[in-house]
């Protein structure tokens, strides 16, 4: 009888122990990626006579993109920021083929201003130009040939 009691005690410890291991564990939420400071503005692709320009607003932990009444937000664990070659950054949804962004100076309306360049892939030969504030640009200033 003693063997049975001892075996039962071991069995209870094993079941109790495995129940403890199998209990759900609480995991901390994945931290959001951080957008570099130089990108944190509200950028517009504002062409002359365009009443509804496209925009990209980048904050420390989110991006809002769209135009007028249509826009969407990427934030939290959905946001991915990765550094690429040549000062470019891939910013967008986690796990997607995101566009590449770079901040640089360009001549817009006769003045040298800080702009945001956006290209579709690492091998793209052209990038869209976005500016801050109410500044407008011509169609020819709204893109740049990279090669």
């Amino acid at each position: 009888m003693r063997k049975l009691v001892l075996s039962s005690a071991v069995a209870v410890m094993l079941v109790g122990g495995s129940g403890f291991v199998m209990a759900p564990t609480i995991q901390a939420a994945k931290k959001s990626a951080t957008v570099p400071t130089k990108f944190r503005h509200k950028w517009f692709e504002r062409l002359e006579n365009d009443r509804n320009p496209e925009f990209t607003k980048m904050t420390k932990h989110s991006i809002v993109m769209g135009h007028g009444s249509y826009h969407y937000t990427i934030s939290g664990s959905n946001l991915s920021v990765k550094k690429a070659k040549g000062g470019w950054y891939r910013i967008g949804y986690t796990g997607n083929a995101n566009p590449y962004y770079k901040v640089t100076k360009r001549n817009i309306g006769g003045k040298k201003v800080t702009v945001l360049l956006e290209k579709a892939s690492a091998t793209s030969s052209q990038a869209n130009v976005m500016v801050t504030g109410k500044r407008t640009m011509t169609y020819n200033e709204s893109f740049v040939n990279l090669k």
Side-chain angles (χ1 to χ4, degrees):
M1 196 71 168
R2 254 194 177 146
K3 268 190 168 177
L4 184 60
V5 172
L6 186 57
S7 299
S8 296
V10 172
V12 169
M13 288 176 61
L14 290 174
V15 170
S18 66
F20 180 74
V21 172
M22 295 176 71
T25 57
I26 298 172
Q27 294 180 346
K30 183 181 173 197
K31 284 181 77 175
S32 173
T34 302
V35 176
T37 307
K38 62 185 171 186
F39 293 102
R40 297 181 202 166
H41 295 286
K42 191 166 185 179
W43 303 94
F44 293 93
E45 191 172 8
R46 192 186 310 264
L47 300 175
E48 295 172 340
N49 301 319
D50 187 1
R51 303 227 184 270
N52 194 13
E54 288 191 32
F55 72 88
T56 300
K57 179 182 178 184
M58 295 187 188
T59 65
K60 186 173 184 176
H61 296 294
S62 70
I63 301 175
V64 180
M65 303 169 98
H67 57 89
S69 62
Y70 173 76
H71 61 275
Y72 59 94
T73 303
I74 307 170
S75 63
S77 63
N78 293 324
L79 180 63
S80 172
V81 177
K82 294 182 180 177
K83 189 169 181 157
K85 293 179 182 178
W88 292 90
Y89 283 80
R90 292 183 74 182
I91 304 174
Y93 280 107
T94 302
N96 281 3
N98 295 314
Y100 288 73
Y101 294 96
K102 182 178 186 177
V103 173
T104 187
K105 298 269 188 186
R106 300 267 316 155
N107 197 8
I108 304 290
K111 292 185 177 182
K112 197 163 207 124
V113 296
T114 302
V115 299
L116 177 70
L117 299 181
E118 175 190 18
K119 66 179 184 173
S121 70
T123 59
S124 294
S125 61
Q126 195 173 61
N128 293 331
V129 176
M130 301 181 96
V131 295
T132 58
K134 301 224 181 261
R135 183 172 283 111
T136 61
M137 58 187 149
T138 65
Y139 174 75
N140 289 336
E141 293 171 330
S142 70
F143 63 92
V144 59
N145 289 315
L146 300 170
K147 294 183 181 186

